[in-house]
Amino acid sequence: MYGKKYEDKRAKLEAKLEAMRQERKQLEKEKFDRNEIQIRKNIDARTESHESFNEKYVKFEILPVREVASTLGKLKSEYNDNMQTTLDAINTQTKSVSEKLLKLSVSQIKVTDIQPKAICTETKSTQTKGSRILPERLVIKKSDDSYDEYMSQGGFGSKLPPGCMSPGLPKIELIMPAITPLDLIDEESSDAKELSEEEKEAIISSKGFQNAIKRIGRVMENVVIRNVDITREYVSAGDNSDEYNSKSQGRVSLKRVFFENEWSSNRCITDIDFSTHYTDLMIASYHINQDELLQPEGVVMTWNTVFQKPTPEHIFHASSAVTSVRFAKFNPHLILGGTYSGQIVIWDSRSPRRVPVQSTTLKCGAHVQPIQSLRVISTDSNDNIFSVSSDGRLCLWNLDMLSQPVDVLPLEKEQKRGVAVMCMEFTGNEFNELLVGSEDGCVYLANQWGTKNGVRARFGEHEAPITSISIQQQPEQHLFLTSSIDSTIKLWSLRHSNPLHTFQNNFEYVMDVAWSPINASLFATVDGGGHLDIWNINLDTEQPSVSIHLEGQPALNRVSWMPNGQHIAVGDIDGKLYLYDIDDHLAQPLAEDLCTFVDSICMSKQKVNYE
């Protein structure tokens, strides 16, 4: 039953589908017929339009397009025939000319070389500043000048070509020189009226005039001091020979003591630096004077190590005690300082003001504790400033923008605790890797950039806070020295976590240590007992080669070598800055010193490995 219903339903659907197909075919056929009729109508309309246009052309005496095309073809063929005829004629003429050229011959021509007219000039005069007589020039001319005058009138009295002078004796004439704009200015200035006494006093008392006289005076002082007296004895100690004991054997002598009574008294010297551009300039930073609370807390003074004058070259002030100071290397007129308040300040020696010309703000997101160390790394275009403070932050600054640091790196040890930094030094020419000494007596190796930035290594520790770090620049850049309040100096290598050797002498707080810039085996230390010790590793590792005990036993806080390695500067807590001359036999290395130094270091490494 169900099968029959299904077949009936299927038959109805097929019949309906067939009817739709037939209807669709019929519609398509009708559409095709309509299109064909429309196309025929369009063709007939175009034919009629062409016929009407041709009738109009004939009415207005205009030729049809077909006749015009045939006429143009005939004209083109005629033009080609005419051009071919012209070319044949030209070829015929060219052949006739070439046949005529074959009959030409070569002839020789005589060349006459006539020297041009020579005019010689010579100036001979004498002029002084007070005399306004203009000098005269002696001009030598040829005597036969009438030829040019005669030729200008149309005559021809010579066989030489026009423009050439006939030979003759020279004649001398005096010609006044031209007046230059500078001469006019001098003549106007000579007519200026003289100033009155009141006007002169006003100019002399002006601040700009006084600053100009000071700058000119400093330049003249430096020029005059260059006249060295060859009869003077610079090596002997003179009246200061009692300031060091017989152990120095005259190899270290006191050259000068720098002290300014108003600004140096009772101020501890916190840092010393030498200018790389002006080699005779030295700078020192001073702490607060507790006895003079009305004075600025921080003071920085530049001293001339060559000129024997008792006053400093420049005196700069800061609102906070200056803990570190450096000369800018790219711009030698700028002086950079780090303060107890955590600010970076910049002074300009060309400015008449003593206060900083630039400074960072306390809210720039950098240091919130005292800056302990400041370093300047110079590039081709500017100086990069690195500062580190007790809060464990390492900041990178750009001189062009002190509103905020370029980069801030927190120095953290285990458990995210900050390192209380006391000193800092970079390991080499690259400023990515650096060493920091902390209050806990440890030395930390840190990277500023890279995948593992921050603290990445820790060396054996002192028993007290580290006061200074000094890197040996050459030949062994992996060696460095540390000084500590535990009265020891330790020699380290970046390749070993334990010290290679420990130096101990006076059992006093060792406040600073510095390698010699020219002798790899020589370094200097200062302590709280007033001792300046110079050690030579090649000679002795138990006792210093030279030991100087300053009179009065002032506590020494800083020591720094001059870049030439011939002088050493020492600063105490009373504000006195001492400059010592180092004898060449002690300062200059010998040829075999380098090999001896390397052998000594190898022995120290073997000892450490054995232990």
Side-chain angles (χ1 to χ4, degrees), residues 314-368:
H314 304 92
I315 300 177
F316 302 106
H317 299 159
S319 59
S320 179
V322 182
T323 57
S324 183
V325 68
R326 285 290 181 272
F327 277 106
K329 297 180 180 179
F330 185 74
N331 189 346
H333 300 288
L334 299 182
I335 298 170
L336 316 174
T339 62
Y340 190 83
S341 62
Q343 293 177 281
I344 302 293
V345 292
I346 300 178
W347 297 278
D348 194 338
S349 60
R350 298 165 296 184
S351 174
R353 302 173 59 191
R354 293 185 175 183
V355 297
V357 295
Q358 278 187 303
S359 63
T360 60
T361 60
L362 296 174
K363 298 181 180 180
C364 61
H367 302 295
V368 294

Side-chain angles (χ1 to χ4, degrees), residues 549-562:
H549 193 192
L550 273 69
E551 185 180 4
Q553 298 182 359
L556 304 180
N557 192 48
R558 283 291 173 260
V559 61
S560 179
W561 290 84
M562 192 175 283

Side-chain angles (χ1 to χ4, degrees), residues 53-205:
F53 278 121
N54 291 334
E55 293 177 357
K56 291 180 180 180
Y57 288 155
V58 173
K59 182 178 179 181
F60 292 102
E61 298 181 355
I62 298 175
L63 296 177
V65 177
R66 295 179 181 177
E67 295 182 4
V68 171
S70 60
T71 305
L72 289 175
K74 294 178 180 178
L75 293 174
K76 186 176 180 181
S77 59
E78 293 177 359
Y79 174 76
N80 292 335
D81 295 339
N82 294 333
M83 286 295 298
Q84 186 65 32
T85 305
T86 304
L87 290 174
D88 294 340
I90 291 171
N91 292 332
T92 304
Q93 293 179 2
T94 303
K95 290 180 181 179
S96 61
V97 171
S98 60
E99 291 176 356
K100 294 180 180 179
L101 290 176
L102 292 176
K103 299 179 181 180
L104 297 177
S105 61
V106 179
S107 61
Q108 295 182 355
I109 300 175
K110 295 182 179 181
V111 180
T112 304
D113 188 7
I114 301 172
Q115 296 295 331
K117 178 181 179 181
I119 300 176
C120 302
T121 61
E122 181 181 358
T123 302
K124 187 176 182 181
S125 62
T126 303
Q127 182 180 5
T128 59
K129 184 176 180 181
S131 174
R132 299 309 304 163
I133 300 175
L134 296 176
E136 296 179 345
R137 290 190 300 165
L138 296 177
V139 180
I140 303 175
K141 295 185 176 181
K142 292 291 183 178
S143 61
D144 192 5
D145 291 342
S146 60
Y147 174 79
D148 289 339
E149 299 176 359
Y150 182 71
M151 288 300 299
S152 62
Q153 298 175 0
F156 192 86
S158 176
K159 296 182 180 179
L160 295 176
C164 298
M165 293 296 300
S166 60
L169 295 176
K171 65 179 181 178
I172 300 175
E173 293 181 359
L174 294 176
I175 298 177
M176 297 297 292
I179 298 177
T180 62
L182 183 61
D183 296 331
L184 296 175
I185 295 174
D186 293 341
E187 290 178 359
E188 293 176 359
S189 61
S190 62
D191 298 336
K193 65 178 182 177
E194 186 177 357
L195 299 175
S196 63
E197 294 297 331
E198 295 179 356
E199 292 175 342
K200 292 179 182 179
E201 288 293 334
I203 293 174
I204 294 174
S205 60

Side-chain angles (χ1 to χ4, degrees), residues 290-317:
Q290 299 293 345
D291 298 335
E292 297 289 343
L293 298 180
L294 297 179
Q295 290 184 353
E297 293 187 6
V299 174
V300 171
M301 287 185 279
T302 59
W303 300 90
N304 195 312
T305 60
V306 177
F307 182 54
Q308 302 285 338
K309 75 173 186 176
T311 57
E313 295 282 340
H314 304 92
I315 300 177
F316 302 106
H317 299 159

Side-chain angles (χ1 to χ4, degrees), residues 525-543:
T525 62
V526 292
D527 57 33
H531 295 90
L532 168 62
D533 298 331
I534 299 179
W535 299 74
N536 194 325
I537 300 177
N538 293 342
L539 301 179
D540 194 352
T541 58
E542 300 299 329
Q543 296 291 331

